[in-house]
Amino acid sequence: GFTYKKTKHLPGKADREKQAAFLKEYEALKATKQEADKIYFMDGCHPRHNSIAAYGWIKKGTEKELKANTGRARLNINGAYNAEDSKVVVREDESINAQSTLSLIEQIIVLQTTGMIYLIADNARYYRSKTVQEFLQKNQRVKIIFLPPYSPNLNLIERLWLFFKKKRLWNRYYEHYAEFKKECMDFFHNIHLYHEELRTLMVDNFQLIHAA
């Protein structure tokens, strides 16, 4: 009655009750916000310039080899996803910190000229930094809503990052970093090509988890 398969990662300190409370607040926000108000899920992604070995259909009795790089270089992609409109806003920076977060928020403000901007984010230090908090004080149209600790399952953009890796990184080898970077950013610039797949994937039906 056993099957041989990989184990799965699970946040070791996840709190189911805190996650449930967050979802209750999230549903209340969706029900009471104005039409012009938008909710975004915000996070960073750090793909490394290296191939990622993944499953694939390979003829029995044969092996499929995948070239590898050093993996030392990486991209720092900062992004926000709006589930209601299926819109993604991304930028590539030298690093993801308080300043790059402000640049992303300013980018969203330019695209959304009216209504409140709600940004759901994890508890990274730069989101709570003095620089970001001072910006929010001066820009009352923007509000960051923090997820419970250890709750990547509640950040919808995590699904987008995984989908992106499947499409552009799994079982792919890019010899040169410039080619790797172009392929990664082209995915987001042409994300409309994946509209049907993302329409069913990027829905806010969240599963609560807790540490065993």
Side-chain angles (χ1 to χ4, degrees), residues 175-186:
E175 182 176 359
H176 302 291
Y177 178 79
E179 178 191 12
F180 160 76
K181 179 178 177 178
K182 180 180 182 300
E183 285 294 319
C184 288
M185 300 312 296
D186 277 355

Side-chain angles (χ1 to χ4, degrees), residues 1-13:
F2 287 82
T3 181
Y4 191 75
K5 58 183 181 182
K6 293 173 68 175
T7 54
K8 293 183 178 180
H9 275 120
L10 180 72
K13 299 180 181 179

Side-chain angles (χ1 to χ4, degrees), residues 43-55:
D43 192 26
C45 181
H46 310 276
R48 293 188 177 277
H49 179 213
N50 204 353
S51 50
I52 301 176
Y55 288 99

Side-chain angles (χ1 to χ4, degrees), residues 153-212:
N153 54 303
L154 302 183
N155 197 340
L156 192 59
I157 201 171
E158 293 283 1
R159 298 184 202 172
L160 181 63
W161 299 146
L162 179 58
F163 182 81
F164 148 66
K165 291 175 182 176
K166 286 181 178 180
K167 293 296 183 181
R168 294 298 171 98
L169 301 182
W170 286 16
N171 292 329
R172 300 283 189 94
Y173 169 71
Y174 301 108
E175 182 176 359
H176 302 291
Y177 178 79
E179 178 191 12
F180 160 76
K181 179 178 177 178
K182 180 180 182 300
E183 285 294 319
C184 288
M185 300 312 296
D186 277 355
F187 169 87
F188 297 104
H189 296 154
N190 296 285
I191 200 168
H192 62 277
L193 299 176
Y194 306 100
H195 174 73
E196 287 303 313
E197 292 175 271
L198 291 172
R199 187 171 59 87
T200 55
L201 174 67
M202 302 298 289
V203 291
D204 55 357
N205 56 341
F206 299 105
Q207 180 181 2
L208 300 180
I209 61 174
H210 65 280

